[in-house]
């Protein structure tokens, strides 16, 4: 017996047994944190590409709607990746992720990495009125639950990464959407990229430059950008009976007055491709499609990373001048596709799987961001 190796009795078995122990200690597992079929399907696509099995766990709701998670295998000393898509029931999905992360943390997992293609509450990343920055609160909750890293895709504002106390990899879906344009849109060379508001111009410009196409921007009173939302600055001051200093006279700002809606750029006789990161309430997109149709565009496509498609979005799309809506599978939308055949899906599981593989192997993530600038 070799007393230097306490984990085996026979010298002939020492190397084999020690190697097995090292693999177990340095291994990784992929779990699905959502009880919905769409999340499980995305997790299976990722694990198939990675050549690993999906972790054994059970996620369900108690009769009183409490979330319960059971991890049915040992995760001690391993790196764990939790796949979590965000369906319509956002708050339940968040609790599933928090409870699973905490269960893995208390089971002595080495690292817990959340794969959250669409990060929820990302629109609430700025102060509005007397509200709060909910996105920062969620970042703190995830860290407290035990997450040590996050992989996400196309954050609504890139500055959201600063809310986290651990690394965040913000992947891009634009290569997949650009590939769809090149392969699935006939005569795409006659297309023009459209930003439905000046705020979306940077993203549209990136698409236009990569496809060598023209750029158009919709501007006018029909648009309502986030910066125009009331934030409490026009609230009337409190009336106080004071005899002291009355305060300073600040210069008055002129009220905004939006011009009539207009399209900056020639879309006549062209294919109009509207690009954005999120398509949720489709009212703005439908209005933009009508304007583009009036200006002479003969086909209208919408490209977006996250297809939330809330409320009666499928019906509005079906009845509108929009010819096709292309989104990725970062958010479950199978029900919406059944209601509206104009909705098409692009699979992004390939880049998510590659990100997991590179993080586990300690490889550089720079390859996934090649030729991508800060403004993309």
């Amino acid at each position: 017996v070799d007393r230097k190796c306490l984990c085996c009795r026979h010298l002939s078995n020492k190397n084999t047994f020690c190697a097995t122990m090292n693999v177990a200690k340095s291994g990784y597992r992929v779990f699905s944190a959502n009880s919905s079929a769409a999340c499980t399907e995305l997790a299976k696509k990722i694990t198939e590409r990675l050549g690993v099995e999906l972790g054994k766990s059970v996620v369900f709701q108690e009769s009183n709607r409490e979330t319960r998670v059971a991890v049915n295998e040992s995760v001690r000393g391993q790196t764990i990746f939790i796949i979590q898509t965000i369906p319509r029931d956002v708050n339940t999905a968040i609790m599933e992720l928090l409870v699973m992360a905490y269960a893995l943390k208390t089971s002595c997992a080495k690292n817990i990495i959340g794969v959250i293609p669409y990060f929820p509450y990302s629109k609430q990343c700025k102060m509005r009125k007397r509200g709060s920055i909910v996105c920062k609160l969620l970042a703190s909750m995830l860290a407290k639950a035990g997450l040590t890293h996050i992989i996400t895709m196309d954050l609504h504002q890139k500055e959201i990464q600063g809310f986290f106390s651990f690394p965040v990899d913000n992947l891009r879906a634009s290569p997949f959407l650009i590939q769809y344009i090149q392969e699935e849109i006939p005569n795409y060379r006659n297309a023009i990229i459209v930003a439905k508001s000046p705020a979306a111009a940077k993203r549209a410009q990136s698409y236009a430059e990569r496809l060598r196409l023209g750029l158009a921007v919709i501007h006018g009173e029909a648009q309502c950008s986030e910066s125009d939302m009331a934030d409490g600055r026009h609230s009337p001051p409190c009336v106080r009976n004071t005899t002291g200093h009355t305060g300073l006279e600040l210069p008055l700002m002129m009220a905004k007055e939006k011009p009539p809606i207009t399209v900056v750029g020639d879309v006549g006789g062209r294919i109009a491709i509207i690009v954005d990161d999120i398509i949720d309430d489709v009212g703005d997109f439908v209005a933009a499609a009508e304007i583009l149709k009036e200006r002479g565009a003969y086909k209208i496509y919408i490209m977006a990373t996250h297809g939330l498609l809330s409320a009666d979005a499928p019906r509005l799309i079906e009845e509108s001048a929009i010819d096709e809506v292309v989104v990725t599978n970062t958010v479950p939308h199978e029900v919406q596709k059944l209601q509206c055949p104009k909705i098409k899906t692009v699979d992004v599981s390939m880049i998510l799987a590659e990100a997991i593989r590179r993080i586990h192997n300690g490889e550089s993530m720079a390859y996934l961001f090649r030729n991508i600038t800060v403004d993309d």
Side-chain angles (χ1 to χ4, degrees), residues 169-218:
D169 287 312
N170 182 24
L171 306 178
R172 305 295 196 274
S174 55
F176 297 91
L177 296 175
I178 289 173
Q179 183 181 29
Y180 184 93
I181 292 172
Q182 293 173 325
E183 296 179 355
E184 302 296 333
I185 298 181
N187 196 23
Y188 84 92
R189 291 291 182 187
N190 188 38
I192 185 168
I193 305 298
V194 180
K196 71 177 181 66
S197 68
K202 281 188 176 181
R203 182 182 299 273
Q205 181 182 356
S206 174
Y207 276 73
E209 290 175 351
R210 295 181 191 283
L211 292 166
R212 278 66 172 172
L213 299 176
L215 176 66
V217 179
I218 298 176

Side-chain angles (χ1 to χ4, degrees), residues 5 32 37 45 72 77 96-97 113-114 136 151 158 170 194 206 222 254 257 259 272 276 295 305 307 309 327 346 356:
C5 180
S32 173
K45 286 182 179 180
N72 299 327
E96 288 174 344
L97 179 60
I113 302 172
K136 187 177 188 304
I151 302 171
K158 297 174 184 63
N170 182 24
V194 180
S206 174
M254 294 181 64
E257 184 177 345
D276 212 336
R295 298 296 193 277
T305 304
L309 302 169
V327 294
V346 174
I356 291 174

Side-chain angles (χ1 to χ4, degrees), residues 70-145:
V71 180
N72 299 327
E73 60 181 285
S74 176
V75 296
R76 183 178 296 274
Q78 296 192 29
T79 297
I80 307 298
F81 295 87
I82 307 175
I83 313 293
Q84 178 64 311
T85 57
I86 306 298
R88 289 190 177 186
D89 192 355
V90 178
N91 297 328
T92 297
I94 291 172
M95 282 305 301
E96 288 174 344
L97 179 60
L98 292 172
V99 174
M100 174 163 277
Y102 189 67
L104 295 167
K105 177 183 177 181
T106 54
S107 298
C108 299
K110 182 180 179 182
N111 295 307
I112 305 171
I113 302 172
V115 183
I116 315 170
Y118 167 67
F119 194 79
Y121 286 98
S122 58
K123 285 188 175 181
Q124 298 189 46
C125 60
K126 297 179 181 179
M127 183 67 74
R128 301 297 182 198
K129 285 191 175 181
R130 296 171 181 83
S132 60
I133 305 176
V134 183
C135 192
K136 187 177 188 304
L137 170 64
L138 182 55
S140 301
M141 292 167 63
L142 293 174
K144 188 69 175 177

